[in-house]
Amino acid sequence: MVAATKSLPRRQFDVVVVGAGGAGMRCSLQLAQAGLSVAVLSKVFPTRSHTVAAQGGVSASLGNMSEDNWYWHMYDTVKGSDWLGDQDAIEFMCREAPHAVYELEHFGMPFDRNADGTIYQRPFGGHTANFGEKPVQRACAAADRTGHAMLHTLYQRNVAARTQFFVEWMALDLLRNEQGDVLGVTALEMETGDIYVLEAKQTVLATGGAGRIWAASTNAFINTGDGLGMAARAGIPLQDMEFWQFHPTGVAGAGVLITEGVRGEGGILLNKDGERFMERYAPTLKDLAPRDFVSRSMDQEIKEGRGCGDGSYVVLKLDHLGAETIQKRLPSIREIAIKFANVDPIKDPIPVVPTIHYQMGGIPTNIYGQVISTIGGESNIVNGLYAIGECAATSVHGANRLGTNSLLDLIVFGRSAGNFIVNQHPERQHAHQPIPQSSIDYSLDRVNKLETRTSGEKTQDVGNAIRMAMQHHCGVFRTIDLLKKGVDAIEGLAPQVENIYFKDKSKVFNTARVEALELTNMIEVARATITSAANRTESRGAHALNDHPERDDENWLRHTLWFSEGSRLEYKPVQMKPLTVESFPPKARTF
Ligand SMILES: Cc1cc2nc3c(=O)[nH]c(=O)nc-3n(C[C@H](O)[C@H](O)[C@H](O)COP(=O)(O)OP(=O)(O)OC[C@H]3O[C@@H](n4cnc5c(N)ncnc54)[C@H](O)[C@@H]3O)c2cc1C
């Protein structure tokens, strides 16, 4: 079935980018325009990457609607991160934001416009003027299809720049030499079932999120954390994996996302008594408090018996915005509500529940996207490897991401990594370094075991068990006891993943093979998440413990690092020092 190692077909590129979402394509554009040979791999057609589903907007302090500046944006992001974000990276992102957005505008991205021709901006959770004084309109939007507009713009630009796309190719493992330098990847061409060695002077992971390790998720089915699995297997730690964002408004029962932009436009959350309960929890920002805050408040309402219908959800009311605004600013939301909740929001409220949405943690990097491995307290750059976008922990989102800061993260750090590679490329113009056979064999062995196994566990069954275990043990509110049981459950499932098989061994576009390989990545993400969570005995951002309700800066103002081998943990300090301005010291987080 799978070719012997020595006969594996090989291709050589200056750079291999794994992932064609916003991050991957912003990076590849920079590389291709500079004349480098770039291969971009994607499991799906580029414009079907999850970025396409982003609705609400991309943040930048353009100040088109009222006064705004990058320093306020930086403060909001540090506070939103519950002080776990690295302040150098946050300063970099917020300063670059206006430039990065105008660049997209000049690429042809069809933003909504104000009457004076400037980009339309809407309010979003946690974005404020003057250090928390009042909400500010900072989210640049293309109706409720901002990610769609962004991804198509970037794809067209890449085609013009002659980026080479490998569509429906799945990267399997990183290839490394004895010094630990990354020299490319092994990859599966799904159409033929053939495995290739893709040699690269630089490899960029841009594989997006992994929300599919939960049963209820707003994420696309392809969000299985492949880049994280690849890094973990190569001995690279995963950072801050206990921090996962629940989006307050997933359609109850379906999980499909209703953008925060609805609340930005004036939509409100109500309990069964018709009370606008967020006024009680967050008197200043109300429905536009950050997501961790709103999700917990909703959960509380439901737990205390004020849920609507059967008691399991609250509702999002927007009929008061008027049919015209809904049709102009939120057309896809209306469509989603009609299709998935059977309600027309022009007349009736939408039933919603907090749903897993975004991973704040990931592969640790610096602001150039270079992957940083810290072992025994000593940090080193992993030569030849970069991570950008949702799979990376740069770390601008810390313990909780503000809405619209992710699309921003993609374009700022995608561009930054691209520039860095282009600028340092002359020194690395040398020939491709030899790839040790053992590195290739490791990957091939993994696949061969799957190919040859004729009995064992079914991928779907083990996958479901992982998703149910995460859903049950690692929700909006957590306890150490429950998390520890979750660690046992997930570690108990890990050997089953080693024993999965699929019956249909056909070569041509065999999705059973792809799903089995994806599961080997999902288990790494689940292990990292639950182990990191069970060991952090404080509440910070999205990690909320009933039995440790307070933030504990003395002991826990530090990043978690999880290593796959032995499921071992280390910790490293948060970068509290920005690039040029004064540090924002930790304080209580109220809204
Ligand atoms: C429904 C929804 C709405 C959102 N709305 C917003 C919003 O309004 N504003 C905001 O800022 N953020 C939003 N977010 C978050 C944001 O959209 C994502 O964090 C971001 O788009 C991720 O981009 P990315 O480039 O990192 O990865 P993705 O866009 O997820 O792309 C990942 C790419 O990696 C490829 N890939 C993965 N594994 C492999 C592999 N093994 N081999 C080859 N290719 C691989 C995939 O095919 C894909 O091309 C939203 C998220 C969701 C789910």
Side-chain angles (χ1 to χ4, degrees), residues 317-328:
K317 172 180 150 62
L318 58 155
D319 59 322
H320 56 283
L321 304 181
E324 200 188 327
T325 300
I326 294 174
Q327 272 153 355
K328 179 165 171 221

Side-chain angles (χ1 to χ4, degrees), residues 6-7 22 24 51 86 88 93 199 253 263 266-267 271 274 305 307 321 331 366 388 505 514 553 564 591:
K6 45 187 167 306
S7 62
T51 300
D86 287 339
D88 55 345
M93 182 177 80
E199 293 188 53
R263 281 168 289 139
N271 62 20
L321 304 181
N366 62 19
I388 47 175
K505 305 285 184 188
V514 172
D553 288 330
S564 175
F591 299 96

Side-chain angles (χ1 to χ4, degrees), residues 19-30 32-33 40 45-47 49 51-52 58 100-101 103-110 146-163 165 388 407-412 414-415:
M25 287 209 286
R26 183 65 196 84
C27 181
S28 61
L29 179 58
Q30 216 65 10
Q33 280 177 336
V40 177
F45 193 78
T47 51
S49 305
T51 300
V52 82
V58 48
V101 166
E103 201 173 48
L104 282 176
E105 182 187 33
H106 297 161
F107 287 166
M109 179 163 160
T146 311
H148 181 110
M150 178 184 281
L151 206 57
H152 281 257
T153 304
L154 289 173
Y155 179 63
Q156 288 167 0
R157 285 274 152 174
N158 270 282
V159 169
R162 299 190 182 279
T163 301
F165 286 101
I388 47 175
L407 288 185
L408 177 62
D409 160 2
L410 310 183
I411 54 170
V412 166
R415 181 175 185 278

Side-chain angles (χ1 to χ4, degrees), residues 18-24 41-44 46 49-51 53-58 124 169-171 206-209 218-219 222-223 226-227 230 257 259 357-358 388-391 401 403-408 410:
V18 184
L41 272 59
S42 178
K43 292 196 285 187
V44 294
S49 305
H50 188 65
T51 300
Q55 302 171 351
V58 48
F124 242 78
W169 280 59
M170 179 182 187
T207 51
T218 67
N219 280 202
I222 54 169
N223 286 15
D226 296 359
M230 291 165 75
L257 181 77
T259 174
H357 184 57
Y358 183 85
I388 47 175
E390 192 168 334
C391 74
R401 170 182 74 101
T404 69
N405 264 357
S406 173
L407 288 185
L408 177 62
L410 310 183

Side-chain angles (χ1 to χ4, degrees), residues 123-138:
F124 242 78
H127 289 280
T128 70
N130 204 16
F131 312 106
E133 195 179 283
K134 55 178 189 220
V136 74
Q137 293 180 241
R138 190 178 284 149

